[in-house]
Amino acid sequence: MEQVERQETTTRVVNNQTQTQSAFQKKKAIFKMYQVIWYILGIVEALLAFRIILKALAANPASGFVNFIYSVSDLFALPFLGIFGITASQGSVLEWSTFVAMAVYALIAYAIVKLIQLIKPTTPGEVEQGVNQ
């Protein structure tokens, strides 16, 4: 009888550890997805910020670096061009729509992260803590 009880206890402990490890691996993968989302957003935001600065300073578009930034950032800025007018003065250009693009991409990244948080696995303790707050 004692042998059977030990075996059942051992089986429960092993099953609980396996479930804990599985939940940890899932949460680790979700955490990595968060990092990837924020990293991609950082790259997009940096490209758009460079675009704003270079256009505001009237950088030479024939320059290799400036041409590269404009070419790559066009992909992200074009859907928003035309929302607002462009302010130009003595070669300096301010694309207000690029600011809108930056805000929209940040909101999209934030919404994706929040959506992932809704579907992530939770433990009973996390549910209890969330309900009590």
Side-chain angles (χ1 to χ4, degrees):
M1 179 79 163
E2 189 177 315
Q3 181 68 19
V4 172
E5 287 179 17
R6 278 190 204 163
Q7 189 174 13
E8 287 177 10
T9 303
T10 303
T11 302
R12 275 184 282 186
V13 169
V14 169
N15 284 341
N16 286 341
Q17 287 176 342
T18 303
Q19 289 173 350
T20 302
Q21 285 178 336
S22 175
F24 173 76
Q25 291 301 326
K26 287 178 184 176
K27 288 182 180 184
K28 184 178 175 183
I30 290 169
F31 178 71
K32 290 294 183 187
M33 280 196 305
Y34 293 164
Q35 288 180 318
V36 168
I37 291 166
W38 293 123
Y39 183 77
I40 291 170
L41 175 67
I43 291 171
V44 170
E45 295 283 324
L47 286 169
L48 292 173
F50 272 121
R51 178 187 183 92
I52 290 170
I53 293 167
L54 292 172
K55 287 199 177 242
L57 296 175
N60 180 6
S63 166
F65 177 74
V66 175
N67 187 28
F68 171 76
I69 294 295
Y70 288 169
S71 298
V72 175
S73 66
D74 273 347
L75 173 69
F76 302 106
L78 283 177
F80 301 94
L81 288 180
I83 291 177
F84 297 112
I86 296 174
T87 304
S89 173
Q90 298 175 354
S92 179
V93 175
L94 191 55
E95 293 179 338
W96 294 102
S97 56
T98 306
F99 288 106
V100 173
M102 292 175 76
V104 168
Y105 290 126
L107 286 172
I108 289 171
Y110 179 77
I112 291 170
V113 166
K114 286 298 180 183
L115 178 64
I116 293 170
Q117 287 177 346
L118 287 175
I119 60 175
K120 79 175 180 175
T122 56
T123 64
E126 290 172 332
V127 172
E128 185 68 30
Q129 182 182 10
V131 169
N132 289 334
Q133 287 182 351

